[in-house]
Amino acid sequence: MRRFRRTLVAAAVAAAVVTATAGWASGTAQTPVTGPPPGTEEWRADRSLGHALPDPGSASPAEVAAFFADLTPRRRELLAARHPSVVGNLDGVPAALRYRANARTLGAGSDGRQILAYDPRGRGQLAEVFGDLTRARRVAVVVPGSDIDAGTFDRTREMARSLYEEANGLEAGGRATDDRAAEHHTTDSRTTKGPTSDNRAAEHHTTDSRTTKGPTSDDRAAEHHTTGRATDGRAADDRTADDRTAGGHMADASRDDRGEGPADGRRTGRGSGGATVGGRAGNVAVIAWAGYTTPVGVGLDAATGGLAEAGAERLARFTRGVAATGAARPALFCHSYGSVVCGLAAGRAGATDIVAFGSPGMRADSVADLHTDARVWAARAPSDWISKVPHVAFAGLGHGTDPTAPEFGARRVPADDTTGHTGYLAPGTSSLRAFASIARGEAR
């Protein structure tokens, strides 16, 4: 009974906060972008191959991947040239082809970056890849919270780049931390096309930016990525066990494989594939995914689950699309309202790990309620203002139990030296080191 009364009091506080900002919030209410990508009607009408193309509104990512795997490189490129907005955003299309399609849409704006999705509708949505998505042994996806769109995407991009560099043992700017890794990961700096040093990290695992220009020798690369199998010389079953399944009960999250403390990101060595553990390459590709309509400010959208529900559908389809092209199962790193999205997508995303940080809740009372076999982690900095948000779910307001609360059952990630709500991926923090360890598949 006392617990119920506490819930009612907390709900009243939450309602008061939202009501106090209602006049301002009503002007920032968002309509989520849903449905298939721009250009879908033209795609549906296309009979250039003698038959209908897979419907973006109903075909599964696996069906899309199978369709593109059966096409010749020339036909793939022709479709990308004719329908760049569809090919660039259609989950299940090979990554290299999506990069080229989005480069056509963005023109000079792509700057040689690996843009995996670009949807200009609404406030604009983007996804960008750091590293070689198909060859990487591990894949991580950064899911942002409120106020992120095409205009503010650099915030999420910086988070993803920081995780990419830490997970692969690179210095800021993408330089490897030892000579052997540097020789493997870097190219002649003269090939860098972008106007800022930020673009270098995205190019270390990729081909020359000329691959975004259309069908030349790149046809071979497109064919290489469309088989739907692992393309790094290994059969799919040669991936680590964690790439295929989270598998059973894991060891206490407060210790790493050596029993030496909480997922602190320490490595036993680095090799040509990045960080290694016990001789196993730990190279990680990281995706900055701003692929849903986020809340603007702190108002009704942020306190309710409507945008998160729409975002969860898009996230689950996105991760299934990545997996359908032969990439490893992803780990999800979910910040703030992004953790609400991840909570709702957990049972469908096929993730190995789900990390909630700076979270207002995941719309679940416990890890069991997420209905996932992924390892679930949670972090909250001592100075994060999110701790002042009531962790309740009442009459549609609030997102439920604090993921860092013991009763939720998540593995805790150290964040004592993290500052504020946005400092979790800041270089040098214990939270970033722990996140990198999770991304590499070391932490259990």
Side-chain angles (χ1 to χ4, degrees):
M1 186 67 178
R2 284 198 299 270
R3 180 179 178 183
F4 179 69
R5 283 199 297 268
R6 286 198 300 271
T7 299
L8 289 179
V9 170
V13 171
V17 170
V18 171
T19 301
T21 61
W24 168 76
S26 62
T28 61
Q30 302 295 301
T31 300
V33 171
T34 58
T40 291
E41 289 309 311
E42 293 82 357
W43 171 274
R44 285 170 172 160
D46 191 329
R47 294 295 186 274
S48 61
L49 301 185
H51 54 78
L53 306 178
D55 191 325
S58 59
S60 71
E63 290 169 337
V64 172
F67 169 79
F68 276 88
D70 286 340
L71 295 180
T72 65
R74 174 177 168 75
R75 286 189 167 184
R76 293 183 204 124
E77 296 294 347
L78 287 174
L79 286 178
R82 189 175 293 129
H83 306 285
S85 292
V86 173
V87 173
N89 290 283
L90 188 56
D91 296 313
V93 173
L97 191 61
R98 289 178 71 166
Y99 300 154
R100 292 194 286 276
N102 287 315
R104 289 187 177 97
T105 299
L106 290 165
S110 68
D111 246 345
R113 288 156 57 174
Q114 297 184 126
I115 303 301
L116 193 60
Y118 170 62
D119 189 335
R121 294 177 297 174
R123 288 153 42 213
Q125 300 178 2
L126 279 166
E128 181 175 357
V129 176
F130 292 85
D132 188 329
L133 183 58
T134 305
R135 292 181 181 273
R137 285 182 176 271
R138 312 287 303 190
V139 173
V141 180
V142 176
V143 181
S146 298
D147 300 308
I148 299 300
D149 51 36
T152 57
F153 178 70
D154 279 353
R155 300 180 198 172
T156 302
R157 185 174 191 266
E158 284 302 305
M159 294 170 69
R161 188 178 68 139
S162 183
L163 178 59
Y164 170 73
E165 290 171 348
E166 183 72 22
N168 289 290
L170 305 176
E171 296 176 353
R175 292 182 301 277
T177 54
D178 65 14
D179 291 338
R180 288 173 301 169
E183 183 177 352
H184 180 76
H185 283 288
T186 61
T187 59
D188 190 333
S189 62
R190 288 171 295 181
T191 63
T192 303
K193 303 297 183 182
T196 67
S197 60
D198 291 349
N199 296 326
R200 290 198 298 257
E203 294 175 359
H204 283 302
H205 291 278
T206 65
T207 58
D208 189 284
S209 61
R210 288 172 296 180
T211 59
T212 62
K213 302 299 184 184
T216 58
S217 60
D218 296 336
D219 292 344
R220 292 194 300 272
E223 185 171 11
H224 187 61
H225 285 283
T226 56
T227 61
R229 299 185 295 272
T231 57
D232 53 3
R234 295 171 289 138
D237 285 343
D238 289 336
R239 295 187 186 277
T240 62
D242 285 339
D243 288 334
R244 299 189 301 274
T245 176
H249 178 70
M250 295 298 174
D252 190 328
S254 66
R255 298 187 178 273
D256 62 17
D257 288 338
R258 300 181 305 282
E260 293 180 347
D264 61 3
R266 287 173 289 184
R267 296 181 285 277
T268 59
R270 296 186 185 91
S272 61
T276 65
V277 176
R280 185 182 66 185
N283 128 355
V284 180
V286 180
I287 304 171
W289 184 79
Y292 77 106
T293 303
T294 65
V296 173
V298 181
L300 280 172
D301 280 345
T304 56
L307 295 181
E309 289 170 1
E313 290 289 339
R314 295 176 75 85
L315 177 61
R317 182 178 176 89
F318 176 81
T319 56
R320 291 198 303 270
V322 170
T325 64
R329 290 175 61 189
L332 303 180
F333 292 82
C334 315
H335 180 233
S336 196
Y337 191 83
S339 67
V340 186
V341 176
C342 289
L344 293 172
R348 297 165 286 163
T352 60
D353 297 84
I354 300 173
V355 185
F357 53 105
S359 174
M362 302 182 77
R363 298 236 142 199
D365 290 332
S366 67
V367 167
D369 291 334
L370 296 176
H371 304 293
T372 178
D373 64 353
R375 293 176 291 270
V376 179
W377 308 79
R380 189 178 71 204
S383 59
D384 190 338
W385 58 261
I386 204 74
S387 63
K388 305 297 193 294
V389 173
H391 284 278
V392 297
F394 184 81
L397 292 174
H399 304 299
T401 305
D402 178 0
T404 65
E407 61 267 27
F408 190 80
R411 295 159 164 83
R412 286 298 299 270
V413 174
D416 290 344
D417 58 352
T418 298
T419 302
H421 187 59
T422 59
Y424 292 90
L425 287 108
T429 56
S430 57
S431 52
L432 176 59
R433 290 192 296 271
F435 290 173
S437 178
I438 294 167
R440 289 192 299 268
E442 296 172 11
R444 296 289 186 271

